[in-house]
Amino acid sequence: MSDPPAASRPTPALPEPEVAREWLATMTLIRRFEERAGEMYARAKVGGFLHLTIGEEATIVGSARALRETDYLVSTYRSHGDAIARGTPPERVMAELFGKVDGCCKGHGGSMHMFDGERRFMGGYGIVGGNLPIAAGIALACDQRGTDEVTLCTFGDGASNQGTFGETLNLAALWQLPVVFMVINNQFGMGTSLHRHSAVTDLQRKGESLGVPGMRCDGMDVLDTHAVVSQALQRVRDERRPLLVEAVTYRFRGHSMADPEEYRSKEEVAQWRERDPLPAFAALLEREGVLSAEQREQIERDAVAQVDAAVEFAERSPFPQPSSLYEDVYVIDDQVHGHYHSDSDKRSRRLAAAAAVAPDGGERLR
Amino acid sequence: MSDPPAASRPTPALPEPEVAREWLATMTLIRRFEERAGEMYARAKVGGFLHLTIGEEATIVGSARALRETDYLVSTYRSHGDAIARGTPPERVMAELFGKVDGCCKGHGGSMHMFDGERRFMGGYGIVGGNLPIAAGIALACDQRGTDEVTLCTFGDGASNQGTFGETLNLAALWQLPVVFMVINNQFGMGTSLHRHSAVTDLQRKGESLGVPGMRCDGMDVLDTHAVVSQALQRVRDERRPLLVEAVTYRFRGHSMADPEEYRSKEEVAQWRERDPLPAFAALLEREGVLSAEQREQIERDAVAQVDAAVEFAERSPFPQPSSLYEDVYVIDDQVHGHYHSDSDKRSRRLAAAAAVAPDGGERLR
Amino acid sequence: MSELRYRDALKLSLQEEMKRDENVILMGEDIGVFGGAFKVTSGLLEQFGERRVRDTPISENSIVGMGVGAAMVGLRPVVELMTVNFALLAFDQLVNHAAHIHYMFGGQARVPLVVRMPQGAGHQLGPTHSHSLEAMFLHVPGLLVAVPSTPADARGLLKAAIRDENPVIFIEHESLYGVRGEVDEADDRPLAFGQARVAREGGDVTIVGVSRMALTAERAAERLASEHGIEAEVIDPRTLRPLDLDTILESVAKTNRCVVVEEGWPHGGVGANLAALVSEQAFDDLDAPVVRVSGADVPMPYSKPLEEIAFPHEPDVVQAVLSVTQAGSAQ
Amino acid sequence: MSELRYRDALKLSLQEEMKRDENVILMGEDIGVFGGAFKVTSGLLEQFGERRVRDTPISENSIVGMGVGAAMVGLRPVVELMTVNFALLAFDQLVNHAAHIHYMFGGQARVPLVVRMPQGAGHQLGPTHSHSLEAMFLHVPGLLVAVPSTPADARGLLKAAIRDENPVIFIEHESLYGVRGEVDEADDRPLAFGQARVAREGGDVTIVGVSRMALTAERAAERLASEHGIEAEVIDPRTLRPLDLDTILESVAKTNRCVVVEEGWPHGGVGANLAALVSEQAFDDLDAPVVRVSGADVPMPYSKPLEEIAFPHEPDVVQAVLSVTQAGSAQ
Ligand SMILES: Cc1ncc(C[n+]2csc(CCOP(=O)(O)OP(=O)(O)O)c2C)c(N)n1
Ligand SMILES: Cc1ncc(C[n+]2csc(CCOP(=O)(O)OP(=O)(O)O)c2C)c(N)n1
Ligand SMILES: [Mg+2]
Ligand SMILES: [Mg+2]
């Protein structure tokens, strides 16, 4: 698995120049965002685990741009890029990383649990493999309602070994659900390389015995990814049965910020970095005459400015009030009474112990 | 799935006459045992769920006889036949069904949880799919020790949809474990027919994407089953990688005793019953001149006598003493102290409430 | 008013809610063609069609997860797990997903999912098939937990569960399906969660009975009255999250004694939780420690005489009550 | 005597047991080449080779199940689950299989399996990655449950766990791996399960601290002594199954007051269980109800200030103790 695959098909045609530049801009934004997130982590502005997506931008943008606005996207704990590609303002993502109240999940979720319902980004999920049945359930709802919406579910090569993979692919095939499963084969599940965790390493084939045919795209190439995922989405939309797409890519950084990367060689990383999707795509656009040097610089400047603004926004946003601790555990509703929490009576003490005290959050009705 | 498959290969050669008669005798014994168990259930001598294996005797005996004594067998909640084929005395199985102290699990397990460690019958398991990783673990231990023992793991068509199927097959292939997975395709998971629960109905192929090649046998034909499973065991023993064998068969009775069987037609059942493995094999042996009418009758008489004796034994065996309730929850050991059970103090009260009272079972040390 | 079996009250509830709201769909193993392992859903496939009554493969974790996903975008799935024992395969989707999604995504997403499952011992199903796991479920914030013991409660609470915006673990009992009780078919209002039912009034001791044990407690109370002149107040909490602790505390304030009866294991059980809460909040009211009557701390044995003594029956409850009433009078 | 980190004490223990018995093997996600998510196993692959230190795919339920199977035929597998949160995927193998096989097969089969996993909050890992689930595990008969809080206990209990014939849930804590403590390397005896450690003696109140909370309780006790003149006896139960209730009861007989500190959720938590047991067995010794200090009854939030107030710290323990000592003196 140490050799980066060459794109197997002829490069698909470019989209409209404006569209192509927007793709590059989004890839650039994600790259700069991730780099900055890493810096903020080093400066302890961001806590928890931070899984960066650097190297996988073509996979993210190529697939996100193949989606309609009405389609759904379901992702993993490595999903800042997905949120941004889907249109979530970077400042909301950064504020979430900072644990601030203006974060897209009010600071409850953090890096691993992004969400933007409005833009049908149906979440980053921290449990490897946990998102597959959820995506199939969303697809079930779409099908049930007779819409032509499709759900795209991304997960890693490592996740393909989780029980939910077999269960969900079988269910989706059996019930003919409009869902595209996209396995992002970045060659590793944490520190375990593909051939050390999966008996079958040709991942596009891993759904065949479950009734889900596969396709593969070059996840380092935004055009190829877009073309293949578009085709998959269209087939699923029309034929109403699931497909599996393998996106072959590589993460340039460690699994998370605390990864000494002893499981792979510097040479291997360098080799893959030669195929860095950002400069590759930019160079292509320049060659094709749809990107001037000036435009390229502008894209860079815009990305940096947006990330600067995101950090500033996140800095300025307040932390959640201690009194909000019990908010959003339940949807409080008039058909439920009694003590939702058995520590209702202790809540005030707990909150009093913290600096700011606020009135009872209302979990106890009557 | 309503057409019984014809055997696809030419019928394999018969084994030695004595061996062939022993197979028939064991199949007959299992059939009579199951019938009697059903009667005993109707008479409330047996409780719980009772899953009979009638119709599947060729699959059971053909595969069990392919095993060496040192091989391991891991089965499901439908496993009286497996225990008997492996050599567990029928009276121990019947006594277990009666919940008696001489049952092979002292009455703790019942119909769904048979076990005979001595004969390397490593258990019937009540949780669909729960036995697959256990079988792989046994195979791992064998491999670790450098023995040439193979583990045979049987489970149903319905179980192939459980997450453990994908997980365990991948693991077994990856670690090159000496295990044969045998999916007993009896066309139904409870009341759900194969094509309504599995997207891929060609079950021998269901392991391919997981790195486990498949074979198929006619599970209504003891010779074919024996030949294919023997071949599979040999390949696994030599090549040290797992295989999947699909045994195509049919259960003649309901899923359990409380099954009105509204999910299938009487005609379908009748059609399959025409291929009843017992008369088929007996007729073959007669045709081939290795079974006389007298021998055939003798086999019948022996089977019935053994079952009679088993019932008598089970009847005579006492119920477990109430005082044994807490026995075998833990292996009591000198490096553990304190209260294993938080209700230790109540135990005597509980036991006193029952008729017979016995001294403290010794869970509390020191 | 009509007399319905618990099973039929549940079916009625499903029918009513499915008619009321087309977003309500059912998923589960053998709920359709087979009619349900315990026949709760029999006839519903014919009535509502196979898009709304979906037989699933045996894939508990993913079935629940699909329910979660479908609920997030507006369906109201009712997932049936054939029994509570198999819910152990779905704990990840129940805890890490269903229970936490609303909070984790800052209130943006809702999971109006109901997961129905019967529990309990008594049918000689042995160690893997006899669990009572309500103590594990009530531990998890984000879940609601119902444990109805009568047909009317089963119907009313299931309606509330389906209409509620939170994920609900709806625990039925294998031994209750055949039990009959009065149901007012004309009144199709949901029964609010968090309101205990005082099954019997009395001033001498409070007995809290969970799930099927509410019935055992009631029968024990009758015996206590007739044989020992003790008037027990029997409370069925009906839901364990939310918990109507107020009703229990009011009763204990009157009786000064409390016995909790549950079928599950004692160590970390429902009884332990109630004992802790009652002791904490009504310490001065208690004349004796809260006594717990529970399932034995063993995997459930198959053999009839062992199984019989491994979960509570009336005499166990009577004996426990006598132990506290005697302790009380000794003070 | 040397000072070792908790992480290194665990590693030492694994090394010693692997050298002693070649049937001991390790399995888990990223324990080999990567060295373990928390580096407990780093270097062991090099030392013992890849047949005894096995990196697994991400398949929690099956990894545990393979451990069960391997244990049944005589290996002594130590399975590492990367964190307790993922154990929810393996509950079926842990409960229906590991815990019940010995009983269910009438004592014929044994499951000498250890399943190690770290738990706990404090690193801002959010709702899916911060659980403390000891209350769920201790509920299950057939399992043993260890919750070591010091390097010496971690080493000694792990040795006992590996040598024991029963399945053991061995709960480590993410925040403890870097903590140092005295370990007598020369004494490689296992530390018996079921013996609580009296971390500090005192006569005014008993504080039981579970897992990492034993340390929090100790620090709170120091503060209680210096700031309030209250001498707390701090008990670390070390194992929750078996439970050394005797040591706790002896202490309560002396102090008449008891506070339980745990990191997990309160409803049906360890504290509830201990409160119930202590109230039951030492009702007349108690001058005040057993007070529980626990994690908040919410999914663990990511944001630092929210996370900080969502699990117990010294001031919470101090305050709880003051509430009971005041209650006591008021009587
Ligand atoms: C059920 C579960 N097990 C283990 C983990 C810890 N973990 C987080 S990411 C990861 C590796 C996943 O690899 P892959 O699916 O290839 O995704 P990638 O990180 O490469 O994007 C692991 C083991 C987890 N989060 N969930
Ligand atoms: C995890 C789990 N889910 C559901 C059940 C209930 N159940 C018992 S047998 C069965 C059908 C299994 O079908 P299959 O695997 O084909 O085996 P067969 O009964 O046909 O031998 C079901 C659903 C169970 N025992 N375990
Ligand atoms: Mg990966
Ligand atoms: Mg079947």
Side-chain angles (χ1 to χ4, degrees):
Chain A
M1 283 303 100
S2 52
D3 285 342
S8 43
R9 284 167 300 281
T11 303
L14 276 184
E16 291 303 302
E18 235 169 273
V19 172
R21 287 191 295 266
E22 192 276 332
W23 292 4
L24 180 66
T26 303
M27 288 166 67
T28 309
L29 175 60
I30 293 171
R31 174 70 57 94
R32 299 299 162 247
F33 183 96
E34 292 290 67
E35 288 166 350
R36 194 70 64 86
E39 287 163 28
M40 293 298 118
Y41 189 87
R43 289 175 46 198
K45 292 286 179 186
V46 177
F49 291 151
L50 187 71
H51 306 91
L52 300 180
T53 197
I54 293 176
E56 304 179 13
E57 294 89 348
T59 301
I60 294 168
V61 175
S63 58
R65 289 297 169 267
L67 291 170
R68 297 183 183 169
E69 262 186 32
T70 48
D71 289 337
Y72 291 94
L73 176 62
V74 177
S75 176
T76 68
Y77 47 84
R78 196 185 295 285
S79 77
H80 316 156
D82 292 299
I84 291 171
R86 206 65 185 132
T88 309
E91 62 263 28
R92 302 291 308 281
V93 182
M94 192 63 86
E96 186 63 29
L97 294 180
F98 276 53
K100 298 301 185 70
V101 75
D102 295 305
C104 54
C105 299
K106 298 187 189 163
H108 283 185
S111 170
M112 295 197 284
H113 311 111
M114 297 288 170
F115 193 88
D116 187 346
E118 215 180 298
R119 294 178 184 81
R120 301 204 163 182
F121 173 54
M122 300 306 287
Y125 292 84
I127 300 298
V128 170
N131 61 339
L132 279 92
I134 290 179
I138 294 172
L140 170 66
C142 296
D143 190 59
Q144 196 85 5
R145 297 219 175 97
T147 73
D148 65 354
E149 299 152 3
V150 177
T151 300
L152 177 66
C153 177
T154 72
F155 51 90
D157 47 296
S160 69
N161 302 314
Q162 195 60 280
T164 49
F165 177 84
E167 290 183 351
T168 303
L169 266 67
N170 177 57
L171 264 155
L174 192 67
W175 289 1
Q176 306 189 288
L177 299 181
V179 51
V180 173
F181 297 101
M182 183 162 86
V183 55
I184 300 186
N185 176 6
N186 64 5
Q187 318 301 325
F188 294 92
M190 215 162 141
T192 306
S193 59
L194 178 60
H195 71 276
R196 295 185 67 248
H197 71 63
S198 184
V200 166
T201 52
D202 187 6
L203 294 184
Q204 63 175 324
R205 294 199 44 225
K206 204 160 174 173
E208 274 174 17
S209 305
L210 300 159
V212 181
M215 302 167 76
R216 174 180 285 155
C217 67
D218 179 356
M220 304 306 269
D221 179 345
V222 66
L223 292 179
D224 192 58
T225 302
H226 183 267
V228 172
V229 176
S230 296
Q231 197 190 329
L233 288 165
Q234 196 54 50
R235 275 182 59 187
V236 166
R237 221 182 293 281
D238 294 345
E239 298 171 19
R240 308 206 74 68
R241 59 189 201 120
L243 285 173
L244 176 68
V245 174
E246 176 189 6
V248 181
T249 180
Y250 201 80
R251 78 171 145 64
F252 292 172
R253 295 289 196 92
H255 168 73
S256 69
M257 297 300 286
D259 177 0
E261 295 182 60
E262 280 159 10
Y263 49 84
R264 61 187 188 182
S265 69
K266 292 226 164 57
E267 293 69 40
E268 178 182 311
V269 180
Q271 216 179 342
W272 277 90
R273 272 187 185 271
E274 278 169 28
R275 297 200 56 224
D276 189 330
L278 257 77
F281 188 49
L284 174 72
L285 295 191
E286 286 182 335
R287 271 200 315 277
E288 299 287 330
V290 301
L291 183 74
S292 65
E294 218 165 294
Q295 282 171 322
R296 187 171 178 180
E297 271 162 39
Q298 188 59 41
I299 281 173
E300 268 298 339
R301 276 196 303 274
D302 282 355
V304 172
Q306 280 185 78
V307 172
D308 286 345
V311 168
E312 209 178 307
F313 176 88
E315 281 282 14
R316 269 206 320 268
S317 173
F319 280 110
Q321 286 293 312
S323 60
S324 70
L325 179 62
Y326 286 77
E327 281 168 22
D328 299 324
V329 178
Y330 290 99
V331 183
I332 306 290
D333 196 281
D334 66 358
Q335 65 191 346
V336 178
H337 312 269
H339 301 249
Y340 278 86
H341 301 284
S342 72
D343 62 350
S344 310
D345 62 306
K346 289 190 196 142
R347 191 150 27 100
S348 45
R349 197 180 68 209
R350 180 184 305 279
L351 300 180
V357 185
D360 191 284
E363 283 86 348
R364 186 176 163 190
L365 301 176
R366 287 217 184 145
Chain B
M1 282 307 100
S2 52
D3 284 343
S8 44
R9 285 167 300 281
T11 303
L14 277 183
E16 293 301 304
E18 233 168 275
V19 173
R21 286 192 296 266
E22 191 277 330
W23 292 3
L24 179 67
T26 303
M27 290 166 67
T28 308
L29 174 60
I30 294 171
R31 173 71 57 95
R32 299 297 162 250
F33 183 95
E34 293 289 67
E35 289 165 347
R36 193 71 65 87
E39 287 164 27
M40 293 297 117
Y41 188 86
R43 289 176 45 198
K45 291 286 179 186
V46 177
F49 291 150
L50 187 71
H51 306 91
L52 301 181
T53 198
I54 293 176
E56 304 179 13
E57 294 88 350
T59 301
I60 295 168
V61 175
S63 58
R65 288 296 168 269
L67 291 170
R68 296 183 183 169
E69 260 186 32
T70 49
D71 290 336
Y72 290 94
L73 176 62
V74 177
S75 176
T76 68
Y77 46 84
R78 195 185 297 284
S79 76
H80 316 155
D82 292 299
I84 291 172
R86 206 64 185 134
T88 309
E91 61 263 29
R92 302 291 309 278
V93 182
M94 191 63 85
E96 186 63 28
L97 294 180
F98 277 52
K100 298 300 186 71
V101 76
D102 295 306
C104 53
C105 298
K106 297 187 190 166
H108 284 185
S111 170
M112 296 198 284
H113 311 110
M114 296 287 168
F115 193 90
D116 187 345
E118 212 181 300
R119 293 177 183 82
R120 301 205 164 180
F121 172 54
M122 300 305 285
Y125 292 85
I127 301 298
V128 170
N131 61 338
L132 278 90
I134 290 179
I138 294 172
L140 170 66
C142 296
D143 190 59
Q144 196 84 5
R145 298 220 174 98
T147 71
D148 65 354
E149 297 151 4
V150 176
T151 300
L152 176 66
C153 177
T154 71
F155 51 90
D157 47 298
S160 69
N161 303 313
Q162 195 62 279
T164 48
F165 178 84
E167 291 184 352
T168 303
L169 266 66
N170 178 58
L171 264 155
L174 192 69
W175 289 2
Q176 306 189 290
L177 300 182
V179 51
V180 174
F181 297 102
M182 184 162 85
V183 54
I184 300 185
N185 176 6
N186 64 5
Q187 319 300 328
F188 294 93
M190 213 160 143
T192 305
S193 60
L194 178 61
H195 71 278
R196 295 185 68 248
H197 72 63
S198 184
V200 167
T201 52
D202 187 7
L203 294 184
Q204 65 175 322
R205 294 198 45 225
K206 203 161 176 175
E208 274 175 17
S209 305
L210 300 159
V212 182
M215 302 167 77
R216 173 179 286 152
C217 68
D218 179 355
M220 303 306 270
D221 179 346
V222 66
L223 291 179
D224 192 57
T225 302
H226 184 266
V228 173
V229 176
S230 295
Q231 196 190 330
L233 288 165
Q234 195 54 49
R235 274 182 60 189
V236 166
R237 220 182 293 280
D238 294 344
E239 299 170 19
R240 308 207 72 69
R241 59 188 201 121
L243 285 174
L244 177 68
V245 174
E246 176 189 6
V248 180
T249 178
Y250 201 80
R251 80 173 142 64
F252 292 172
R253 295 287 196 96
H255 168 71
S256 69
M257 297 301 286
D259 177 358
E261 295 182 61
E262 281 158 10
Y263 49 83
R264 61 185 188 182
S265 67
K266 294 226 163 60
E267 292 69 40
E268 179 182 311
V269 180
Q271 216 180 343
W272 277 90
R273 274 187 184 271
E274 279 170 25
R275 296 199 56 223
D276 187 331
L278 257 78
F281 189 50
L284 175 72
L285 296 192
E286 286 182 337
R287 271 200 315 277
E288 299 286 331
V290 301
L291 183 73
S292 65
E294 217 165 296
Q295 281 170 322
R296 190 171 177 182
E297 270 163 42
Q298 187 61 40
I299 282 174
E300 269 298 339
R301 274 196 304 274
D302 282 355
V304 172
Q306 279 184 79
V307 174
D308 286 344
V311 169
E312 207 178 311
F313 176 88
E315 282 282 13
R316 266 205 321 268
S317 173
F319 280 109
Q321 286 293 310
S323 59
S324 70
L325 179 64
Y326 287 77
E327 281 169 21
D328 298 324
V329 178
Y330 290 100
V331 183
I332 306 289
D333 196 281
D334 65 359
Q335 62 191 347
V336 178
H337 313 269
H339 302 249
Y340 278 86
H341 300 284
S342 72
D343 61 350
S344 310
D345 61 306
K346 290 192 196 141
R347 191 150 28 100
S348 43
R349 199 180 67 210
R350 182 185 302 280
L351 299 182
V357 186
D360 191 286
E363 285 84 349
R364 188 174 163 190
L365 300 176
R366 283 211 189 152
Chain C
M1 282 286 181
S2 47
E3 267 228 330
L4 287 185
R5 289 185 200 276
Y6 186 89
R7 153 188 303 124
D8 296 318
L10 287 163
K11 188 193 296 182
L12 174 64
S13 189
L14 290 171
Q15 284 169 319
E16 288 169 339
E17 294 304 304
M18 290 181 80
K19 279 188 218 151
R20 189 186 55 77
D21 181 355
E22 66 172 16
N23 287 311
V24 178
I25 64 161
L26 312 186
M27 298 196 279
E29 294 159 17
D30 283 304
I31 64 167
V33 172
F34 193 83
F38 297 92
K39 301 294 170 203
V40 173
T41 54
S42 77
L44 298 187
L45 171 65
E46 292 71 16
Q47 187 174 356
F48 296 101
E50 64 178 13
R51 286 177 67 81
R52 292 186 69 195
V53 179
R54 289 180 174 259
D55 277 323
T56 69
I58 307 171
S59 309
E60 281 81 3
N61 199 34
S62 293
I63 297 165
V64 171
M66 286 183 65
V68 172
M72 287 171 74
V73 293
L75 290 192
R76 303 193 86 88
V78 181
V79 171
E80 174 177 308
L81 296 179
M82 200 177 279
T83 71
V84 75
N85 310 286
F86 317 141
L88 289 163
L89 283 154
F91 260 50
D92 174 60
Q93 285 297 332
L94 291 170
V95 178
N96 280 324
H97 297 88
H100 290 353
I101 275 175
H102 182 60
Y103 192 80
M104 163 162 115
F105 295 146
Q108 283 180 85
R110 294 176 169 198
V111 185
L113 167 71
V114 180
V115 186
R116 292 177 44 235
M117 58 193 101
Q119 71 175 17
H123 289 121
Q124 285 194 261
L125 300 179
T128 63
H129 275 62
S130 306
H131 302 314
S132 291
L133 297 180
E134 59 267 49
M136 286 194 175
F137 291 118
L138 72 82
H139 190 46
V140 183
L143 297 179
L144 299 182
V145 182
V147 284
S149 71
T150 69
D153 289 359
R155 175 194 181 210
L157 290 171
L158 184 52
K159 295 169 81 77
I162 291 172
R163 297 189 197 181
D164 198 82
E165 294 291 331
N166 299 291
V168 178
I169 304 293
F170 195 90
I171 302 181
E172 302 165 9
H173 197 291
E174 295 181 23
S175 293
L176 290 178
Y177 285 124
V179 173
R180 292 168 184 280
E182 292 279 298
V183 175
D184 181 357
E185 298 204 37
D187 177 6
D188 80 338
R189 283 173 303 180
L191 182 61
F193 272 46
Q195 292 185 322
R197 183 171 58 87
V198 179
R200 183 183 193 284
E201 293 191 15
D204 296 331
V205 60
T206 301
I207 311 180
V208 181
V210 179
S211 181
R212 172 195 15 189
M213 289 297 127
L215 274 59
T216 304
E218 272 193 80
R219 284 193 300 267
E222 295 306 326
R223 203 187 281 194
L224 282 162
S226 62
E227 295 176 15
H228 302 276
I230 292 172
E231 293 301 330
E233 183 141 301
V234 177
I235 297 178
D236 174 352
R238 298 206 279 208
T239 59
L240 298 173
R241 251 206 215 242
L243 177 68
D244 182 2
L245 190 57
D246 298 342
T247 296
I248 297 170
L249 293 176
E250 275 159 34
S251 177
V252 172
K254 182 172 70 175
T255 63
N256 310 118
R257 292 167 188 87
C258 184
V259 172
V260 184
V261 193
E262 66 183 314
E263 193 171 324
W265 295 312
H267 211 37
V270 184
N273 193 46
L274 288 177
L277 286 168
V278 171
S279 304
E280 252 166 44
Q281 310 220 359
F283 190 67
D284 295 332
D285 288 335
L286 284 174
D287 285 347
V290 176
V291 168
R292 302 178 281 146
V293 181
S294 74
D297 199 16
V298 303
M300 189 56 64
Y302 163 79
S303 181
K304 193 74 189 162
L306 289 185
E307 187 187 43
E308 276 298 304
I309 59 170
F311 70 95
H313 300 275
E314 292 91 295
D316 306 299
V317 182
V318 168
Q319 215 183 352
V321 166
L322 293 179
S323 80
V324 277
T325 47
Q326 283 155 10
S329 44
Q331 288 205 336
Chain D
M1 283 286 182
S2 47
E3 267 228 329
L4 287 186
R5 290 186 199 276
Y6 186 89
R7 153 188 303 122
D8 296 318
L10 287 164
K11 188 193 297 182
L12 174 64
S13 189
L14 290 173
Q15 284 169 318
E16 289 169 338
E17 294 305 304
M18 290 180 80
K19 278 188 218 149
R20 188 187 55 78
D21 181 354
E22 64 171 18
N23 287 312
V24 178
I25 65 161
L26 312 185
M27 298 196 276
E29 294 159 17
D30 283 303
I31 64 168
V33 171
F34 192 85
F38 297 92
K39 300 295 172 203
V40 171
T41 54
S42 78
L44 298 187
L45 172 64
E46 294 71 14
Q47 187 175 356
F48 296 101
E50 63 179 14
R51 286 177 67 80
R52 292 186 67 194
V53 180
R54 290 180 173 258
D55 277 324
T56 69
I58 308 171
S59 310
E60 281 81 3
N61 199 35
S62 293
I63 298 164
V64 171
M66 285 182 64
V68 172
M72 286 170 74
V73 293
L75 290 192
R76 302 193 87 87
V78 181
V79 172
E80 174 177 306
L81 295 180
M82 201 178 278
T83 71
V84 74
N85 310 286
F86 317 140
L88 289 163
L89 282 154
F91 260 50
D92 174 60
Q93 285 297 332
L94 292 170
V95 178
N96 280 326
H97 296 89
H100 291 353
I101 276 176
H102 183 59
Y103 192 79
M104 164 163 114
F105 295 145
Q108 282 181 84
R110 294 177 168 199
V111 185
L113 166 71
V114 180
V115 186
R116 293 177 43 236
M117 58 193 102
Q119 72 174 17
H123 289 120
Q124 284 193 261
L125 300 179
T128 62
H129 276 62
S130 306
H131 303 313
S132 291
L133 297 181
E134 60 267 50
M136 286 194 177
F137 291 119
L138 72 80
H139 190 47
V140 183
L143 297 179
L144 300 182
V145 183
V147 284
S149 71
T150 71
D153 288 357
R155 174 192 183 215
L157 290 172
L158 184 52
K159 295 169 80 77
I162 292 172
R163 298 189 197 182
D164 197 82
E165 295 291 331
N166 299 291
V168 178
I169 305 293
F170 196 89
I171 302 181
E172 302 165 9
H173 197 291
E174 295 182 23
S175 293
L176 291 178
Y177 284 125
V179 173
R180 291 168 185 282
E182 293 279 298
V183 175
D184 181 358
E185 298 204 37
D187 177 6
D188 80 339
R189 282 173 304 178
L191 181 60
F193 273 44
Q195 291 182 323
R197 182 171 58 87
V198 178
R200 184 185 193 283
E201 293 192 14
D204 296 332
V205 61
T206 302
I207 311 181
V208 181
V210 179
S211 181
R212 172 194 18 187
M213 288 298 128
L215 275 60
T216 304
E218 272 193 80
R219 286 193 300 267
E222 296 306 326
R223 204 187 278 191
L224 282 162
S226 63
E227 294 177 16
H228 302 276
I230 292 173
E231 292 302 331
E233 183 141 300
V234 177
I235 297 179
D236 175 351
R238 299 206 280 207
T239 59
L240 299 173
R241 256 217 210 233
L243 176 69
D244 182 2
L245 190 57
D246 297 342
T247 296
I248 297 171
L249 293 176
E250 275 160 32
S251 177
V252 173
K254 180 171 70 174
T255 64
N256 310 119
R257 291 167 189 84
C258 184
V259 172
V260 183
V261 193
E262 65 182 315
E263 193 171 323
W265 296 310
H267 212 38
V270 184
N273 193 46
L274 289 177
L277 286 168
V278 171
S279 303
E280 252 165 43
Q281 310 219 357
F283 190 67
D284 295 332
D285 288 335
L286 284 174
D287 285 346
V290 176
V291 169
R292 300 178 282 147
V293 181
S294 74
D297 199 17
V298 303
M300 189 57 64
Y302 162 78
S303 181
K304 192 75 191 163
L306 288 185
E307 186 187 42
E308 275 300 302
I309 59 170
F311 69 95
H313 300 276
E314 292 90 296
D316 306 301
V317 181
V318 168
Q319 215 184 351
V321 167
L322 294 179
S323 80
V324 277
T325 48
Q326 283 154 11
S329 43
Q331 289 203 334

